[in-house]
Amino acid sequence: MGKDENTCATLRAEIAATEAQLARLKRDLVSAEDRAVANSESTSPAANRNKGQNGSESPWPLLQEEYGRYGRQMIVSQVGLPGQLKLRSAKVLLVGAGGLGCPAAQYLAGAGVGTLGLIDGDTVEISNLHRQVLHRSRNVGKYKVDSAIESLRELNPLVTYIPHRTHLTPDAAPSIFNEYDIILDCTDNPATRYLISDTAVLLGKPLVSASALRTEGQLMVLNYPPRPPGDKDGGPCYRCVFPKPPPADSVVSCADGGIMGPVVGTMGVLQALEAIKVITAPDVDALNQTPHQDPPALHIFSAYSNPLFRTIRLRSRRINCAVCSASATVSLDTIKSGSTDYIFFCGSASLPSLLGPEERLSPQEYRERHPQVVHGELEQAHSRPHTIIDVRDQAQFGICNLTDSVNIPISKILASMPTPTNERLQGDYSGSQPPSWLPPDLTSDSNDPIYVVCRLGNDSQIAVKKMKDLGLDRNGQRFIGDIRGGFRAWREQIDPEWPEY
């Protein structure tokens, strides 16, 4: 075993060194590509749009290639040549190059938007590829914006692409947004959504916002028409629709809740469509009247419902909105200075530990106490009887689970949790029925320990607290605790072949 362990350690070190070298090479490639693009801009078709074959001024406003590319679009009456010229002059910023940003960017580039900016500080991961359709397997580890632009240039080289390889921050947002005409919010966390909306309103930029989780999505066009704070004719902002953020511990990410690729793709395509509608809308007439447009609305998509779409009419701007009302308290100065604290406003996304150290075991400590459960196989025939409860949902439990573990989804525990009575707190259910999710053998006289496990070690803590509230620990006579770090830690400490999803 000692020789094998040394071999494994050597291989891991070589892999780490190779990955570090690959990361350096990718960074060098990005710099070289940027220089190449800068050097070629002066000779690109986009830089000489209205030049004829002999270098003279062309009588036609578009290149011959552009007529060929966009002809099917231009013959649509809502677009026409004027709309195509507006698209070519437009500068659109997509905040996020993930599940929403990828399809939105594809269709905006295909439609001939003149300048596309993409801002994202993340790199491509293999778990992104089922839904983030601009990225390729060969680009795993590369900045998402660079991977996306690589694909977009193959789709349409006439567009100018601007990468912003960073996460959006309050101090940088105003200067970046100021260079664009319309913003697309393609992010997945509340704090950034409020930052994007506030900055867009204060700079007078229309905003197309979308979200998606599991099999459902939402879409809104905000701050349209864009008007200064206090102007009642302006469209509502994100704060008008959601004046208070959801509780931090209720926010579920795609990594935790899951997502179907076509669902987030549908919402991204609709974002592109709404952006095109805003860009190609008829101009304001001589009396400075706003052209006819649809009232603000929240569009809700549900893949497994009939009908697929529902629309909820939104109210106009709130009279007490913190950013777009006459009594606004949020300004560009408060954003850039950090006085408007979005993390504090939305709450911390990291859950505090609900249990004491004596109530939590690492996977290694659990294995030392009960060594029989390893990747679904019995390693030792005799071990102290115990129960292990897996509180992931049924779909995740079906992907991988420990032998003899009991699946009780945390959603079922929270949905059917009764208020504990004195009898329940003593572990006595003689005068009432136990919760429907509770297996009968757990309410018996046995003091065998109970361990709770989940994916990351958060839901398991909640379940342990609920079980103790019901008195299942019999005033400390029975151990009830969770496996710290969940199955992510299990993979690291016990079984490296445990599926990582």
Side-chain angles (χ1 to χ4, degrees):
M1 289 296 295
K3 183 179 179 180
D4 290 340
E5 290 175 353
N6 290 335
T7 301
C8 292
T10 301
L11 291 173
R12 292 191 187 99
E14 291 179 359
I15 290 172
T18 303
E19 289 177 341
Q21 182 182 15
L22 179 60
R24 288 195 297 272
L25 290 173
K26 287 183 175 181
R27 288 195 295 269
D28 292 343
L29 176 61
V30 168
S31 299
E33 288 174 340
D34 286 348
R35 291 194 298 271
V37 170
N39 292 334
S40 64
E41 281 183 348
S42 60
T43 59
S44 67
N48 300 280
R49 293 187 188 274
N50 295 319
K51 298 294 183 181
Q53 291 184 353
N54 58 2
S56 61
E57 196 73 17
S58 171
W60 307 108
L62 296 176
L63 294 171
Q64 286 299 318
E65 180 179 346
E66 291 176 302
Y67 285 106
R69 274 183 179 270
Y70 312 129
R72 302 296 188 277
Q73 179 171 280
M74 286 192 289
I75 61 178
V76 175
S77 61
Q78 289 88 344
V79 180
L81 178 61
Q84 193 62 50
L85 292 172
K86 289 180 180 180
L87 287 169
R88 192 176 71 171
S89 300
K91 296 181 178 180
V92 180
L93 176 66
L94 292 86
V95 186
L100 293 167
C102 282
Q106 277 185 301
Y107 277 94
L108 290 172
V113 167
T115 300
L116 276 182
L118 290 89
I119 177 168
D120 198 314
D122 289 338
T123 57
V124 179
E125 299 178 4
I126 195 169
S127 62
N128 303 145
L129 300 180
H130 88 283
R131 66 193 184 280
Q132 299 180 15
V133 292
L134 278 176
H135 308 309
R136 299 293 179 262
S137 297
R138 66 175 181 270
N139 286 340
V140 169
K142 194 173 185 177
Y143 274 113
K144 286 186 177 181
V145 292
D146 295 319
S147 173
I149 290 174
E150 177 183 305
S151 296
L152 293 170
R153 283 200 178 107
E154 292 180 2
L155 172 66
N156 191 350
L158 301 181
V159 175
T160 299
Y161 302 101
I162 302 177
H164 302 274
R165 304 178 190 93
T166 181
H167 296 292
L168 188 67
T169 59
D171 59 325
S175 60
I176 295 175
F177 282 25
N178 198 46
E179 301 300 318
Y180 296 90
D181 304 315
I182 183 171
I183 313 299
L184 271 64
D185 180 354
C186 305
T187 62
D188 61 358
N189 70 85
T192 307
R193 290 188 180 281
Y194 283 102
L195 167 61
I196 292 171
S197 176
D198 292 354
T199 308
V201 169
L202 295 171
L203 291 175
K205 313 290 184 181
L207 171 63
V208 183
S209 177
S211 62
L213 183 67
R214 298 189 180 101
T215 63
E216 299 181 343
Q218 296 182 353
L219 173 75
M220 296 180 290
V221 180
L222 301 170
N223 194 41
Y224 185 65
R227 295 290 185 268
D231 190 330
K232 297 179 180 179
D233 293 331
C237 70
Y238 195 79
R239 286 183 187 265
C240 293
V241 183
F242 303 109
K244 293 183 179 180
D249 57 2
S250 70
V251 177
V252 180
S253 67
C254 291
D256 293 330
I259 181 69
M260 289 184 67
V263 172
V264 70
T266 297
M267 305 318 297
V269 169
L270 289 175
Q271 279 187 283
L273 175 61
E274 293 298 329
I276 291 172
K277 288 165 61 179
V278 170
I279 294 168
T280 60
D283 294 326
V284 176
D285 63 24
L287 296 177
N288 199 31
Q289 295 177 343
T290 302
H292 172 75
Q293 61 188 50
D294 296 330
L298 169 64
H299 305 286
I300 301 174
F301 172 77
S302 181
Y304 287 87
S305 295
N306 187 13
L308 293 173
F309 286 94
R310 291 183 296 122
T311 297
I312 300 174
R313 177 104 176 244
L314 296 178
R315 295 179 178 178
S316 57
R317 289 181 168 183
R318 288 180 177 267
I319 59 173
N320 60 345
C321 178
V323 69
C324 67
S325 70
S327 57
T329 58
V330 177
S331 66
L332 291 177
D333 288 338
T334 66
I335 292 176
K336 291 188 288 187
S337 67
S339 299
T340 302
D341 191 330
Y342 293 95
I343 301 299
F344 177 79
F345 177 64
C346 294
S348 174
S350 58
L351 294 175
S353 179
L354 302 177
L355 305 178
E358 72 284 354
E359 298 173 287
R360 314 197 72 192
L361 280 77
S362 69
Q364 187 63 46
E365 291 170 331
Y366 167 79
R367 183 180 181 184
E368 291 171 358
R369 288 193 187 185
H370 307 282
Q372 81 278 21
V373 181
V374 179
H375 194 41
E377 297 180 358
L378 295 181
E379 184 181 80
Q380 180 172 312
H382 302 288
S383 176
R384 180 183 174 186
H386 67 286
T387 300
I388 183 164
I389 296 176
D390 187 331
V391 295
R392 296 174 299 161
D393 61 38
Q394 292 181 356
Q396 295 188 53
F397 185 79
I399 294 173
C400 53
N401 59 78
L402 297 174
T403 299
D404 296 330
S405 59
V406 179
N407 183 215
I408 307 176
I410 187 66
S411 57
K412 184 179 293 186
I413 294 175
L414 297 177
S416 61
M417 180 58 60
T419 303
T421 64
N422 291 334
E423 290 79 9
R424 290 181 183 131
L425 290 173
Q426 299 301 319
D428 180 5
Y429 288 92
S430 59
S432 60
Q433 291 294 323
S436 59
W437 54 265
L438 194 61
D441 57 334
L442 294 187
T443 62
S444 65
D445 293 334
S446 171
N447 282 333
D448 293 336
I450 299 174
Y451 303 93
V452 185
V453 66
C454 65
R455 187 180 181 194
L456 302 175
N458 295 324
D459 289 343
S460 57
Q461 296 185 68
I462 298 173
V464 168
K465 290 284 288 183
K466 297 298 183 183
M467 291 180 183
K468 289 194 170 185
D469 288 344
L470 288 172
L472 295 179
D473 63 337
R474 296 186 175 83
N475 293 322
Q477 298 179 42
R478 167 191 259 178
F479 176 84
I480 302 180
D482 86 317
I483 296 180
R484 188 172 61 247
F487 284 116
R488 177 175 292 178
W490 184 273
R491 174 183 168 88
E492 295 170 354
Q493 299 179 25
I494 303 299
D495 184 3
E497 294 185 5
W498 187 267
E500 183 177 13
Y501 59 91

